[in-house]
Amino acid sequence: MSRNQVLFERAQRVIPGGVNSPVRAFRAVGGTPRFITRALGPHIWDAEGKRYIDYIGSWGPMILGHGHPAVLEAVQKAAIDGFSFGAPTEREVELAEAIIAQVPSVEQLRLVSSGTEAGMSALRLARGFTGRSKIVKFEGCYHGHADALLVKAGSGLATFGFPTSAGVPPEVVQHTLVLEYNNVEQMEAAFTTQGAQIACVMIEPIAGNMNFVRAALPFMRRLRELCTQHGALLVFDEVMTGFRVALGGAQSLYARLIPGFKPDISVFGKVIGGGMPLAAFGATRQIMQQLAPLGPVYQAGTLSGNPVATACGLATLKEIARPGFYDDLAAKTRALVQGLEGAAREAGVPLVGDSEGGMFGFFFADHLPQNYGVVMATDKERFNRFFHGMLDRGVYLAPALYEAGFVSAAHAADDLAATVQAARQALADEHLHA
Ligand SMILES: Cc1ncc(COP(=O)(O)O)c(C=O)c1O
């Protein structure tokens, strides 16, 4: 047995499924999860000492790659000064200022410890602010594991969803409406029948939890109009896209194309913590002042704004705010996707990809999917063979076809070339066995 297998067996005795977050278990692709021992730059090493080029980057946070010297130094210094005080610190203020400086829709924010917590709090805030109960989400978007968001679509429009997890009572999701991503007609119909009761619409503007699907421009434009018209808040879940697809997040991309475009509430995580447990939600001062201790919406956290996490986040934000950072990152990520498409073309395999900033996705299909149903109809068996072909060759992609990939500033031209070469070999192999 390999050391990874030994550790996985041991893990399964004491941790359900052997993992602390389900997708790490490789259930979608099969095989044994790699236990990671260390990481540096664009690489991670498993318990066997095998090195991989890392395209997960801790599922998004590691935009500078692993062990960036400036970030390490900031974290070490902060740790010496104290792990946690449960009292205000200057760094929390600095981090809030640094985020707000890049995101014009956010005038105030609150720091929390996970994307789930931020999304859940944003939802409560939207309901508290509007005095309404109903919320809208889109099929295929993931906003963390708060009860009200673990919902799949009902049998038809205007019916509310069903829980996707045991332990979520149907009553808890009775106010959650699930719509198809990029479906303007369905959204219009939902607002026509229920617009006056909708507190907010929550969306991943580029959906990284169905691989990589962009909200189309006319869809986003109409969504903004409908929310404004009906007094519902537009909540942008930028846990993945924030400071990842652009310095100002996905909202800055839509703002370039739709004059005056802004979401009402924004949710951040991942990159803003640089790999430490840190997330945030923010909005205008008027909305944020509904929160305790100023307003009636309760929200709190023992470790919120943790001094070591904020040091890590601040040092990360400082590096990514340097001129040209996103141009370089985007060019590398685009080159990677083009390389994968080229390798597939040579092998006669249909593969189509897309990217924005340091986030990318690819599908074994002829056209980019526009919604969850189409994503899930792409070739899963081929993806799984490809995933293992790449893993065997030292390239660590996300272990499920519905997950996005991430490139960091530390990925060098050599790493990208090695990845494309591995893809050529994996596709040639899998083609023979297809
Ligand atoms: C878009 C989005 N929102 C929310 C979350 C939840 O964040 P966390 O895992 O930090 O709770 C995730 C996690 O992957 C995410 O991708």
Side-chain angles (χ1 to χ4, degrees):
M1 267 211 287
S2 77
R3 179 98 185 110
N4 290 308
Q5 284 169 320
V6 170
L7 283 171
F8 192 41
E9 298 242 318
R10 199 172 128 205
Q12 288 176 89
R13 282 199 285 276
V14 288
I15 301 173
V19 291
N20 282 311
S21 198
V23 73
R24 297 179 196 171
F26 276 24
R27 285 289 173 104
V29 291
T32 306
R34 305 303 192 258
F35 279 68
I36 305 305
T37 55
R38 68 191 179 93
L40 188 64
H43 299 125
I44 52 177
W45 283 262
D46 75 3
E48 300 271 291
K50 181 173 164 129
R51 193 187 84 168
Y52 302 87
I53 304 171
D54 177 19
Y55 289 106
I56 298 188
S58 183
W59 299 92
M62 310 311 298
I63 194 164
L64 298 173
H66 299 278
H68 186 285
V71 179
L72 261 184
E73 191 190 331
V75 167
Q76 284 166 341
K77 202 162 159 293
I80 288 168
D81 287 341
F83 286 3
S84 186
F85 314 124
T89 62
E90 185 171 353
R91 267 202 299 276
E92 292 164 88
V93 185
E94 273 183 63
L95 183 57
E97 287 167 348
I99 295 169
I100 287 168
Q102 306 298 348
V103 188
S105 69
V106 174
E107 292 173 350
Q108 287 200 327
L109 60 79
R110 184 157 278 172
L111 300 176
V112 295
S113 302
S114 74
T116 291
E117 204 186 340
M120 177 189 84
S121 306
L123 210 60
R124 186 179 307 138
L125 177 60
R127 284 170 157 165
F129 180 77
T130 58
R132 300 174 179 182
S133 298
K134 293 189 176 177
I135 58 173
V136 175
K137 79 174 285 288
F138 296 95
E139 195 178 18
C141 288
Y142 175 69
H143 306 294
H145 63 91
D147 281 358
L149 294 165
L150 293 180
V151 194
K152 63 176 178 240
S155 52
L157 180 64
T159 60
F160 281 79
F162 299 111
T164 52
S165 166
V168 177
E171 303 81 54
V172 172
V173 301
Q174 68 180 340
H175 300 299
T176 308
L177 180 59
V178 184
L179 301 178
E180 190 176 71
Y181 201 75
N182 277 326
N183 186 333
V184 175
E185 295 78 48
Q186 214 183 60
M187 189 167 70
E188 285 185 337
F191 270 99
T192 302
T193 54
Q194 306 172 63
Q197 294 129 57
I198 297 173
C200 68
V201 178
M202 198 164 195
I203 187 166
E204 279 184 81
I206 297 175
N209 287 286
M210 42 178 158
N211 194 326
F212 188 105
V213 181
R214 294 171 190 266
L217 197 59
F219 175 77
M220 189 59 86
R221 188 184 289 120
R222 192 70 190 120
L223 173 57
R224 179 63 275 184
E225 286 168 2
L226 285 167
C227 284
T228 304
Q229 195 182 324
H230 292 271
L233 301 184
L234 176 57
V235 181
F236 255 38
D237 180 347
E238 298 230 42
V239 168
M240 195 180 284
T241 54
F243 298 85
R244 167 55 74 176
V245 300
L247 190 55
Q251 57 192 270
S252 70
L253 306 175
Y254 287 100
R256 250 185 253 155
L257 303 166
I258 306 172
F261 181 89
K262 278 182 189 177
D264 298 302
I265 301 181
S266 300
V267 184
F268 297 103
K270 300 191 191 270
V271 169
I272 63 163
M276 288 277 177
L278 197 147
F281 62 103
T284 56
R285 207 162 272 116
Q286 188 199 9
I287 295 175
M288 290 305 282
Q289 294 197 347
Q290 293 298 308
L291 282 180
L294 298 178
V297 178
Y298 193 69
Q299 187 279 330
T302 300
L303 297 176
S304 291
N306 176 269
V308 184
T310 49
C312 187
L314 264 175
T316 302
L317 292 195
K318 195 166 160 204
E319 294 301 318
I320 64 183
R322 291 186 194 281
F325 179 89
Y326 285 89
D327 294 337
D328 292 348
L329 186 65
K332 274 199 272 200
T333 312
R334 253 193 316 270
L336 173 71
V337 170
Q338 283 165 2
L340 294 177
E341 285 174 337
R345 236 182 347 261
E346 286 164 27
V349 172
L351 183 150
V352 58
D354 196 3
S355 69
E356 191 66 55
M359 174 173 165
F360 71 94
F362 64 89
F363 303 90
F364 287 102
D366 292 312
H367 304 286
L368 287 172
Q370 295 299 305
N371 62 50
Y372 183 70
V374 180
V375 169
M376 297 313 280
T378 63
D379 195 337
K380 175 168 178 272
E381 294 311 317
R382 184 164 256 160
F383 174 85
N384 291 352
R385 287 197 303 272
F386 183 66
F387 167 82
H388 280 292
M390 294 298 273
L391 195 67
D392 290 346
R393 292 172 174 84
V395 178
Y396 199 123
L397 298 168
L401 73 77
Y402 46 82
E403 301 286 359
F406 304 99
V407 173
S408 80
H411 286 76
D414 283 0
D415 300 305
L416 304 184
T419 304
V420 173
Q421 182 55 20
R424 269 190 208 108
Q425 295 169 352
L427 288 165
D429 254 19
E430 74 104 24
H431 200 50
L432 288 179
H433 302 123

